[in-house]
Amino acid sequence: MASTAAGKQRIPKVAKVKNKAPAEVQITAEQLLREAKERELELLPPPPQQKITDEEELNDYKLRKRKTFEDNIRKNRTVISNWIKYAQWEESLKEVQRARSIYERALDVDYRNVTLWLKYAEMEMKNRQVNHARNIWDRAITTLPRVNQFWYKYTYMEEMLGNVAGARQVFERWMEWQPEEQAWHSYINFELRYKEVERARTIYERFVIVHPDVKNWIKYARFEEKHSYFAHARKVYERAVEFFGEEHMNEHLFVAFAKFEENQKEFERVRVIYKYALDRIPKQEAQELFKNYTVFEKKFGDRRGIEDIIVSKRRFQYEEEVKANPHNYDAWFDYLRLVESDADPDTVREVYERAIANVPPIQEKRHWKRYIYLWINYALYEELEAKDPERTRQVYQACVELIPHKKFTFAKMWLLYAQFEIRQKNLPFARRALGTSIGKCPKNKLFKGYIELELQLREFDRCRKLYEKFLEFTPENCTSWIKFAELETILGDTDRARAIYELAIGQPRLDMPEVLWKSYIDFEIEQEEYEKTRNLYRRLLQRTQHVKVWISFAQFELSAGKEESLLRCRQVYEEANKTMRNCEEKEERLMLLESWRNFEEEFGTDCNKERVDKLMPDKVKKRRKLKAEDGSDAGWEEYYDYIFPEDAANQPNLKLLAMAKLWKKQQQENEAEEMDPDKDIDESES
C-alpha cells in the first residue's frame, strides 16, 4: 500500500508564463534596497515602561530578560558583545556569581579575546573580590603572555593594594618573557618609587643585554649620573664603547659620554673622547659630533683649537667634493679660499697645483671659463700674498702656454700678465706679451687694451701703428675708426682725421654705418666746415633716403646761423617731400611733414603754414585679409592708412571715390528737404 501511495504521489507542475512581455513598471535592485533602508529608518514607538511592584513580577522580568540573552547567545555564540552585555546585566542586579558563570562560559567560547578578560577582571575588582581578580589575572597572563595590558593592569592592582612584593614578583615573571622597552622602564620606575636603587641597577644590567641599543646604554649611564654614582656612570659609558667596538660605533654615544665628562669638568677627557671618535667614525656620519666638538672648544678651548676644528671639518668636506668630481671648479675655489685664510704658503701652492692640474677634457671655451680663474687667482696670490714676482711670472707664462690659442684665447689673461709686468716696471716684457698675444690670437679686447696702455704712456706713434693693425684685422668695426679719428683730432691733425673718416665710409661692409656717418658729420660741424658738411649729407642721401637723414640735414641748415638758413632749410624739406613721394613707408613721410610743419609754425609765414597743412594726409581705416603660414585664411585685420593729397590727385580711382562721397552727401540733403516741406513754406513766407 505504501508503494502504491508513493507511486500515486504527483509531481507539482511548473507554472507556465504565458505573457513574457516586460511589466509596465520595472523595479530595480537598487530601488528594493533603498526601500528596505527607508523602512529600517522608520521611528518605532518606544516600548512601554514597566513598573515592577512585587517580587513575583521581578522574577518574571528576570526570567524573560535571561531568556532573551540566552536566545541571543544561542543564535551566535561567537559574538562576545552579547556575552559581555549579559554578564554586565547580571552584575547590575548584584548577581556576581551568575555573572562569573557567564564570563567563564564566554571564555570557553573565545579565550583569546582580550576585552573579555579585562571586563571579567574589572568586575571582580569592582566588587572587591581581590583573590578572584588575582586568579583571573594569573590565568590571563598565563594564557596570553604577550598582551602587555594584562601585565600592566595586574602590577598596577598589586601596587594599589600595597602588595609591593607581589607586584615585584609579577614584574619578574613578565621580564622572563623579554618584553618591549617600555615594560622594563615601568619595572625600573616601580623600584625607584620605593627607593630601591640597587634593584633598579640590576634591572638596567639585564635591560641593556636584552635590548642592546645605544639609547638604552645612555639611559643607564644617565640613571647612574642622576643618582650621583659618577664612577658607575663612567664605567657604563666605557663598557658601552667596548661593547659596540669599532665596527658599530655611534656618534650619539660619544656625544653623551663627552657631555657627561664635561659636566664633571674633565675637559681633557672630553677632548680625548671627541678626537678618538672623530678618528674612527666616518665623517659623513659624524656631523653632530663635529658640531658638539666645535661648541665645546668655543666654550672651553683656546682660539687656535677652535679654528683647527672648524678648518679641519670644512677641509674634509672640500676634499670629499673634489675627490668625487675633480672638475668641480667651484669646490676648488671654496677649498682654496679656506686654505689661503689659514695655511702656510707651501700648502696653498700644493692645493693650487692640484687644482690647475685638472685641465678641462674638451677644448671648448665654455668649459674653460671657470678653470682659467684658478690660474688668475694663483697668480694674484703669488703676487699679493706670497710677494714672489718670479713665481707670478712663471704662473702667467705657464697659463698662456697651456691655452690652445688656435681654437680660442682669453684676452683677460694676456692683459693681466701685461699689467703685472708694468707694476714690476718692466715695460718691454709687457709690450712683448701684448705683441705676442696680437700675433697669436688677435682680438678686439687685446687691441683695445694695448692701445689704452700706449695712450696712458703718451706713445701716440705706437697708438697709430696699433690702430692700423687693428683696422687691418677688423675693417668693419666702426668704433675703431671713430676712436682713431678722435685721436687724430685730439692731436690737432684734422687732415689725418678727415682722411681716416673717408677711408672708413669707403669700406664695403660696416657694422654701424649710421654711427660712423654721424661722427664724421659732427666732426665737420665742429671744424665749422659747413660746405663739406652739406656735401657729406648729399653723399649720405645718395646711399640712403631715410627720413631721419633728411630731418637732420634740415636741422643742420637751420643751425648754420646764416641769413639764408631758413630758405635752405625749407628747400631741404621740399626736396625731401618730393623724393619721398614714391616711398612706401607712409609713416616716415608723415614724420617728415610733421617736422616741416613744426619748422613753419616757428619760423614760417601763414602762407607757408597753409601750404604745409595742405600736404598733410588723411587718416583712413581699412581692412585687409590675413593669410596663415600654410596659406589658409586667417581672418581680416583693420589698419590705418594715410592718403596724401598729392597722391589722391594723381590716382583717378581716389578722385572718383571722393566724387561718389560728395554725390551721396548731396542725395542725403535732398531727401531731408523733401521730408520737411513745412520748412520750405516758412522760408518762402519769410
Side-chain angles (χ1 to χ4, degrees):
M1 291 294 289
S3 62
T4 55
K8 288 180 180 180
Q9 255 186 349
R10 292 182 179 180
I11 300 169
K13 292 182 179 180
V14 178
K16 291 183 180 179
V17 180
K18 294 180 180 179
N19 185 7
K20 295 186 179 181
E24 293 181 2
V25 180
Q26 295 289 321
I27 300 175
T28 63
E30 183 184 355
Q31 189 174 350
L32 290 171
L33 291 171
R34 194 186 312 116
E35 288 179 3
K37 191 69 178 174
E38 286 172 359
R39 289 182 182 178
E40 270 184 25
L41 296 174
E42 289 178 2
L43 296 174
L44 297 174
Q49 290 184 353
Q50 183 180 5
K51 291 186 178 180
I52 298 171
T53 55
D54 57 6
E55 188 177 351
E56 186 178 352
E57 285 185 4
L58 176 62
N59 291 332
D60 185 49
Y61 165 73
K62 287 180 181 179
L63 182 64
R64 281 187 286 105
K65 196 74 173 173
R66 282 176 183 138
K67 187 175 183 304
T68 305
F69 278 122
E70 290 291 346
D71 289 342
N72 288 338
I73 290 168
R74 197 179 305 112
K75 286 177 186 175
N76 196 344
R77 289 168 57 83
T78 58
V79 179
I80 301 301
S81 59
N82 291 337
W83 293 96
I84 293 173
K85 288 176 185 175
Y86 189 8
Q88 287 176 342
W89 180 77
E90 292 288 1
E91 185 188 355
S92 66
L93 297 176
K94 304 299 181 183
E95 296 281 354
V96 178
Q97 191 61 37
R98 282 180 171 275
R100 193 176 290 137
S101 174
I102 293 163
Y103 275 121
E104 290 294 340
R105 288 166 60 198
L107 287 172
D108 289 339
V109 174
D110 186 6
Y111 69 91
R112 292 180 178 276
N113 193 295
V114 176
T115 309
L116 195 58
W117 287 104
L118 293 174
K119 295 289 184 183
Y120 191 5
E122 283 174 9
M123 182 198 74
E124 298 290 5
M125 288 191 291
K126 278 181 190 175
N127 292 284
R128 301 180 183 277
Q129 301 292 326
V130 176
N131 289 328
H132 278 283
R134 281 196 182 112
N135 184 20
I136 292 163
W137 287 127
D138 272 323
R139 289 166 60 195
I141 62 178
T142 306
T143 310
L144 301 170
R146 291 297 180 189
V147 180
N148 293 331
Q149 200 170 1
F150 294 160
W151 296 99
Y152 285 123
K153 294 272 189 182
Y154 193 4
T155 54
Y156 181 71
M157 183 191 79
E158 293 290 2
E159 191 174 358
M160 289 297 102
L161 293 171
N163 186 9
V164 177
R168 186 176 291 120
Q169 189 177 1
V170 174
F171 269 120
E172 284 296 334
R173 289 174 62 190
W174 191 8
M175 295 306 113
E176 289 175 5
W177 288 95
Q178 297 184 356
E180 62 183 12
E181 294 177 8
Q182 187 57 44
W184 292 90
H185 291 311
S186 299
Y187 190 10
I188 291 165
N189 292 334
F190 164 76
E191 295 291 1
L192 292 176
R193 280 197 292 273
Y194 298 99
K195 312 297 182 187
E196 296 285 351
V197 178
E198 194 60 40
R199 287 180 179 274
R201 183 179 294 120
T202 308
I203 298 165
Y204 260 121
E205 287 288 344
R206 294 158 60 194
F207 175 42
V208 294
I209 300 301
V210 175
H211 295 284
D213 294 335
V214 170
K215 61 179 181 178
N216 296 332
W217 283 96
I218 294 172
K219 285 178 182 176
Y220 183 14
R222 285 178 180 166
F223 156 77
E224 296 287 5
E225 184 181 1
K226 183 179 178 182
H227 292 88
S228 302
Y229 292 101
F230 302 118
H232 282 80
R234 185 175 291 116
K235 193 173 181 181
V236 170
Y237 278 121
E238 291 171 356
R239 283 174 57 201
V241 172
E242 186 180 351
F243 176 81
F244 288 104
E246 294 189 3
E247 294 181 0
H248 302 93
M249 295 181 75
N250 189 291
E251 64 171 344
H252 298 293
L253 176 62
F254 288 97
V255 169
F257 193 3
K259 285 185 176 178
F260 163 74
E261 295 291 1
E262 184 181 331
N263 293 335
Q264 306 308 312
K265 312 296 182 186
E266 296 284 352
F267 301 130
E268 284 305 317
R269 281 177 172 270
V270 176
R271 199 168 280 110
V272 170
I273 291 166
Y274 277 126
K275 288 182 178 179
Y276 175 83
L278 289 171
D279 289 342
R280 287 162 178 78
I281 298 177
K283 297 300 183 287
Q284 60 270 18
E285 299 175 10
Q287 300 300 321
E288 192 69 23
L289 202 62
F290 263 123
K291 183 179 176 182
N292 283 278
Y293 189 18
T294 307
V295 172
F296 166 75
E297 289 290 357
K298 286 181 180 177
K299 286 166 68 177
F300 304 106
D302 56 359
R303 181 178 177 182
R304 188 64 191 173
I306 297 168
E307 290 177 355
D308 285 345
I309 183 62
I310 294 171
V311 170
S312 63
K313 177 183 175 182
R314 290 174 61 194
R315 183 177 294 171
F316 172 79
Q317 292 173 350
Y318 292 137
E319 282 287 352
E320 291 294 318
E321 288 184 26
V322 298
K323 280 180 185 175
N325 182 10
H327 294 96
N328 183 1
Y329 299 120
D330 290 326
W332 282 111
F333 288 132
D334 295 337
Y335 190 10
L336 287 163
R337 200 176 300 117
L338 172 69
V339 173
E340 283 182 27
S341 64
D342 184 67
D344 58 301
D346 291 335
T347 308
V348 177
R349 286 187 183 117
E350 181 189 350
V351 178
Y352 266 118
E353 292 294 337
R354 286 172 56 201
I356 61 177
N358 298 296
V359 182
I362 302 172
Q363 289 190 353
E364 290 182 15
K365 190 167 184 177
R366 61 192 179 91
H367 295 292
W368 285 62
K369 283 184 177 178
R370 299 291 292 160
Y371 170 70
I372 207 69
Y373 276 97
L374 288 172
W375 286 95
I376 293 172
N377 291 349
Y378 190 8
L380 293 175
Y381 171 78
E382 291 290 357
E383 182 185 1
L384 303 176
E385 300 294 332
K387 310 290 185 185
D388 192 341
E390 191 56 40
R391 284 188 67 90
T392 308
R393 187 175 291 109
Q394 290 173 6
V395 171
Y396 278 120
Q397 289 173 353
C399 180
V400 296
E401 286 175 8
L402 180 67
I403 298 170
H405 300 292
K406 291 183 179 179
K407 294 187 177 180
F408 58 86
T409 191
F410 289 94
K412 183 190 292 290
M413 202 70 209
W414 290 102
L415 294 173
L416 286 171
Y417 182 20
Q419 289 164 6
F420 159 72
E421 293 292 2
I422 290 169
R423 286 195 293 274
Q424 302 301 317
K425 300 180 181 179
N426 199 342
L427 187 57
F429 273 59
R431 282 178 175 151
R432 187 187 303 165
L434 290 172
T436 306
S437 69
I438 290 170
K440 280 187 175 182
C441 44
K443 281 184 73 175
N444 291 355
K445 196 172 179 182
L446 286 171
F447 278 109
K448 288 176 183 176
Y450 199 176
I451 290 167
E452 186 179 351
L453 169 65
E454 297 295 355
L455 277 174
Q456 290 173 355
L457 297 170
R458 300 294 186 266
E459 293 285 349
F460 300 117
D461 289 335
R462 286 181 177 274
C463 289
R464 286 187 177 118
K465 288 179 183 178
L466 286 170
Y467 269 122
E468 289 171 6
K469 294 285 185 184
F470 191 8
L471 294 170
E472 284 176 14
F473 172 61
T474 54
E476 71 278 358
N477 192 336
C478 291
T479 308
S480 306
W481 288 103
I482 293 167
K483 292 288 185 183
F484 192 8
E486 286 176 355
L487 172 65
E488 297 294 353
T489 306
I490 292 168
L491 295 174
D493 199 339
T494 54
D495 293 335
R496 283 180 68 92
R498 192 173 288 114
I500 290 165
Y501 276 123
E502 288 294 335
L503 281 171
I505 62 176
Q507 295 299 319
R509 193 180 70 177
L510 294 168
D511 55 359
M512 294 184 294
E514 66 280 0
V515 177
L516 180 64
W517 279 95
K518 185 178 183 307
S519 178
Y520 192 5
I521 289 167
D522 291 343
F523 164 75
E524 293 293 1
I525 292 172
E526 284 178 9
Q527 304 301 320
E528 297 183 358
E529 296 284 350
Y530 298 125
E531 197 59 40
K532 289 182 179 180
T533 308
R534 286 190 191 96
N535 292 335
L536 274 177
Y537 271 116
R538 293 295 175 188
R539 289 166 64 187
L540 179 57
L541 288 169
Q542 288 174 5
R543 299 192 180 197
T544 177
Q545 295 291 328
H546 199 278
V547 64
K548 289 186 178 179
V549 178
W550 283 108
I551 293 172
S552 176
F553 190 11
Q555 289 173 350
F556 158 71
E557 291 292 0
L558 182 63
S559 63
K562 295 186 179 180
E563 296 178 358
E564 64 272 12
S565 61
L566 295 178
L567 181 61
R568 284 179 178 277
C569 182
R570 192 173 288 113
Q571 287 175 354
V572 170
Y573 277 122
E574 290 174 356
E575 184 181 351
N577 187 38
K578 288 178 184 177
T579 307
M580 296 191 72
R581 281 179 186 174
N582 300 324
C583 178
E584 294 181 359
E585 297 292 335
K586 295 185 178 181
E587 286 84 358
E588 292 187 1
R589 189 175 174 190
L590 176 63
M591 193 188 303
L592 177 73
L593 290 172
E594 287 176 348
S595 177
W596 189 4
R597 184 171 63 183
N598 294 337
F599 162 73
E600 294 295 353
E601 285 177 356
E602 189 173 353
F603 301 103
T605 60
D606 293 339
C607 180
N608 290 330
K609 291 178 189 175
E610 289 177 6
R611 180 186 168 199
V612 176
D613 287 337
K614 288 178 181 178
L615 296 175
M616 298 300 290
D618 294 329
K619 192 176 182 181
V620 180
K621 185 187 286 187
K622 291 186 178 181
R623 296 175 69 201
R624 58 187 169 201
K625 204 169 187 180
L626 294 177
K627 293 283 186 182
E629 292 181 359
D630 56 355
S632 60
D633 291 339
W636 293 83
E637 178 191 29
E638 289 188 351
Y639 70 100
Y640 287 100
D641 194 12
Y642 298 97
I643 298 175
F644 291 87
E646 296 172 349
D647 297 343
N650 295 333
Q651 295 182 13
N653 291 338
L654 294 175
K655 195 170 183 181
L656 182 64
L657 183 63
M659 292 174 65
K661 285 183 178 178
L662 182 63
W663 176 80
K664 187 177 181 181
K665 187 177 180 183
Q666 289 175 353
Q667 288 291 106
Q668 290 174 350
E669 290 176 355
N670 292 336
E671 288 176 3
E673 289 175 0
E674 289 175 2
M675 293 292 291
D676 195 5
D678 296 336
K679 184 179 178 181
D680 296 339
I681 294 168
D682 293 340
E683 286 178 355
S684 61
E685 288 178 356
S686 61

